[in-house]
Amino acid sequence: MSFRYPNGQLFSQENSDIEKSKITKKTTFANRGMRFEEAINLSNEYYITHDKAVIHKKPTPLQVVKVDYPKRSAAVIREAYFRQPSTTDYNGVYNGYYLDFEAKETKNKTSFPFKNFHPHQIEHMRKCIAQKGICFVLLWFSTLERCFFLPSEDLIFLWEKQDSGKKSIPLSIIEKQGIEIFDKIAPRVPYLDAVNEYILKKE
Amino acid sequence: MSFRYPNGQLFSQENSDIEKSKITKKTTFANRGMRFEEAINLSNEYYITHDKAVIHKKPTPLQVVKVDYPKRSAAVIREAYFRQPSTTDYNGVYNGYYLDFEAKETKNKTSFPFKNFHPHQIEHMRKCIAQKGICFVLLWFSTLERCFFLPSEDLIFLWEKQDSGKKSIPLSIIEKQGIEIFDKIAPRVPYLDAVNEYILKKE
């Protein structure tokens, strides 16, 4: 969906995302000036276009409080608040499998902080695994420029051991238990390769 | 997520939904003063709580244009617009199956108007079916107080025949090709029973 500003300029979510990527050049996805989330979204588009999978990012949940309905133009939300998502960001279907994942990045070089995940997301993953879904996280070490697929089973196991004092997952564990994803031109983040490897191991 | 109004009153999405159900009593779900969508949401909650399935309604996609960041309080969205969803409203996982559906209601007594579905939703269903997902629509005839499960395969077939002049799906066809769902106390809309019946027929 797109709208026209009073000056006639077209506004669309796509344009907005492009603007965003121009501004936030700090964390790059493999030197292409691209944020990790955008790289995932582009990969999803690639997979959909090539009939490989149907995976979408869920919209950010907002609490709408006030809406104006101006004559002859679109409804304008005048007061709304961000809400905490109760699920992971991405889900969809791949060759009969339900896929459910979260994509997160860190600047850390030696470990991935647990604070990137919320307790309700862990709970959601637990419930999806119980329903035989394929659940995982995509972890991007922006400084190292390395990307990993980590099954949610492993994440949950490590999460539960947090009591013993660890505040992050050591890279060495991720290297051992995860599957490294090497970025390509298209799709940017070929995570379905890792999903295939994971399914093969599991079955 | 919840917020406090300046008067100290707690605002939460849940409260808001309750308010909404109090106001919109026109279209009822089986005489319980409940809108169909709310009945579906409650059913999803029931299924999640009882470890039967993990199905969520996707948040309404909004285009955020302007955000204020007041000191010592939550960020306030001051300008945003509704965007057209590119997928169906509901998806999730049930016993290893990917479920994807849309829930719609009509006051019509003899047929269900096609205008309730957008071309991009039909396209989304087509792609999910190609990935072996279980896709369907839940149709609520509010005047008749009858609810049907209709496989998306059938909806798409009928949709494509629209050229021949039909603007809606006759109830008689829905009765024949769909599965009627009778409302219960919990879950309100026991659609997983229809899903099971559909899977059995298919396999």
Side-chain angles (χ1 to χ4, degrees), chain B residues 1 16 21 44 66 72 82 89 97-98 101-102 108 112 133 135 153-154 163 181-182 187 195 198 201:
Chain B
M1 207 181 201
S16 157
S21 78
N44 290 341
K66 197 183 156 203
R72 283 184 289 277
F82 293 100
D89 270 358
Y97 295 101
Y98 171 76
F101 65 95
E102 191 69 26
N108 281 25
F112 207 96
C135 302
E153 287 92 339
D154 294 315
D163 290 337
I181 299 170
F182 298 95
V195 169
Y198 170 70
K201 262 190 219 165

Side-chain angles (χ1 to χ4, degrees), chain A residues 12 15 50 86 95 146 160 182 184 196:
Chain A
S12 76
N15 292 343
H50 291 77
S86 53
N95 192 29
R146 292 181 73 184
E160 282 167 352
F182 300 95
K184 293 199 291 193
N196 284 333

Side-chain angles (χ1 to χ4, degrees), chain B residues 17 24 71 113 142:
Chain B
D17 284 348
T24 54
K71 276 184 189 172
S142 58

